[in-house]
Amino acid sequence: MENKPKVSLIIPVKDRKEYLYHTLRTCIAQDYQNFEIIVADDASTDGTKDMVRELMKIDKRITLIDRPTRVGMRDNFEDALSRVKEGYVMAIGGDDGILPNGISRMVKTFLRTGTKLLTWCPPEYAYPIECWPNGHFSIYRRKGSYWVDSYEYLKRQTKTLAYINDKECPMFYVKGAAHISLVNAVRSRSQDGRFYSCPTPDGYSGIVLSGEVDKFYFSDEAYSIYGVSPSSQGIAYTKKDKKSVESSNEFFKFSQSQSMHKVLASQPYSPLLSLMTVDYLMTAKDLSGWKGDFPEIDFKEVIRKGIDEIARSYDDEKIMRELIILEAIAKLHNLIDFYYECLSNSKKYAFSRMDYKTAITRERLYIDVLSLGIHNIFDASYAAHNIYALKSSLGIKFYLKAFLHSISIYHKKRSAVRGDFSKELLKLKNKQ
């Protein structure tokens, strides 16, 4: 099987029957046979396990980890990953998917380049949600493949402090894959023999694995598709209905078992990208013999970016939790005056997601999902695959329409100020 190495896909999931069904359809459609699909169910109660068992009768490549008791995202990921013994591994969520022939094309790239760490920029599809009532669909505008220097990548993370926004991020969750030998190398460096050492498992894999290689390969050919559904944790955290609040509370409860790095004042998990990026970097740096390297982190910039994230992404009910975490970090680094100064000068902005429909940006091509008849991640996977194949033949009228709509978006994108932090400042000062 030298030219057909094993590929393992892990899908940690809880209560996503409706969306996981279409995710597994994209997996069943794969033409690569030395391929295993490990569904790690974290005690679902919505019929997810029964649905998976039915699909197992259709495709023997699917296996199910039937967990009777909830263990939380981090342990669910770790246990699923522990089942992989050889070849290449990647993970997706229960609403993501694999593009047509994605696994076989991915293997060809691994073998052709000889890389052990591969990343790409996947298309995106959102099921209808409040901010995108008709759904959302976009593909990356291909610009060529190339090698990425690991040090330069890690150095950039200390500046941008936003791992998920970096198209070159080599995390093997949706947008990357790695040889199992790299995973085992990380395990050998950790004190408890685990791979995942942070409260959330996705981005940490990209930071820690990039430090195990001198360079990794970015492919402009996508092999997977990123999905967003009402059950996505990031979406649930921004919603106020009972089910979403219960889901978020349960997620945070399990996340409390692992605090953030000591340079972040050992605070409980925070969803701020700036703090997660620092947590991933510093946790990886502490691993015995880890080969990665990056410049010193500027904690003034961490505080500044953290406040900006809060101002633009969270409603008033969730702001105080994140501000208290940032306050503790500022105190640890003797930056409390700087923290209050930033807070005094900041404004809170109304949060909204732009409905691009048909548009072109520097990195992406946005297409109205209704015009393509896309209703789920399976439909979106084939649409993306076909558009990549036909994009060069799209007519000038399409691009003109997209360009004009882009101009319209540019003028609408300015956020409206929704107040300042005076109320939160008063609470924080009264707490002293």
Side-chain angles (χ1 to χ4, degrees), residues 359-377:
I360 299 174
T361 65
R362 187 169 58 182
E363 294 290 342
R364 288 194 168 267
L365 175 65
Y366 296 82
I367 301 172
D368 185 354
V369 294
L370 295 183
S371 67
L372 296 179
I374 298 174
H375 302 290
N376 53 62
I377 199 73

Side-chain angles (χ1 to χ4, degrees), residues 218-249:
F218 174 85
S219 172
D220 77 342
E221 183 180 11
Y223 311 109
S224 60
I225 179 168
Y226 178 65
V228 178
S229 69
S231 65
S232 298
Q233 191 56 52
I235 297 296
Y237 188 57
T238 63
K239 296 170 68 176
K240 298 181 181 180
D241 62 278
K242 182 179 179 181
K243 184 177 179 180
S244 296
V245 171
E246 289 176 351
S247 175
S248 291
N249 289 341

Side-chain angles (χ1 to χ4, degrees), residues 43-190:
S44 291
T45 58
D46 67 341
T48 291
K49 287 178 277 194
D50 290 337
M51 181 272 292
V52 174
R53 289 191 184 97
E54 288 301 310
L55 292 182
M56 288 169 64
K57 297 176 183 177
I58 298 172
D59 195 325
K60 302 300 183 183
R61 296 175 297 181
I62 303 174
T63 60
L64 172 67
I65 300 175
D66 184 356
R67 209 179 304 287
T69 305
R70 181 97 159 95
V71 297
M73 179 188 292
R74 179 169 171 258
D75 286 346
N76 196 29
F77 266 77
E78 187 71 39
D79 181 57
L81 185 58
S82 72
R83 313 294 176 107
V84 181
K85 304 301 181 184
E86 61 177 300
Y88 302 98
V89 60
M90 64 179 295
I92 62 174
D95 49 12
D96 305 315
I98 304 296
L99 293 183
N101 307 320
I103 300 300
S104 59
R105 290 186 291 110
M106 182 184 77
V107 169
K108 287 180 181 178
T109 302
F110 267 116
L111 297 179
R112 176 175 55 82
T113 62
T115 188
K116 288 188 174 182
L117 185 59
L118 176 65
T119 188
W120 57 88
C121 197
E124 298 177 354
Y125 169 71
Y127 286 88
I129 54 180
E130 185 176 350
C131 54
W132 292 316
N134 293 325
H136 168 88
F137 178 60
S138 70
I139 65 171
Y140 168 71
R141 294 177 61 199
R142 296 173 62 173
K143 299 179 180 179
S145 303
Y146 52 88
W147 289 94
V148 181
D149 181 274
S150 291
Y151 174 75
E152 292 300 323
Y153 166 74
L154 290 170
K155 181 173 73 172
R156 188 166 67 246
Q157 301 316 300
T158 68
K159 305 300 181 185
T160 61
L161 298 172
Y163 74 96
I164 196 66
N165 296 333
D166 194 319
K167 71 178 183 181
E168 294 174 357
C169 176
M171 64 183 188
F172 64 81
Y173 182 72
V174 186
K175 66 181 307 297
H179 194 273
I180 194 64
S181 62
L182 295 184
V183 174
N184 291 335
V186 173
R187 286 194 182 118
S188 71
R189 301 185 193 286
S190 64

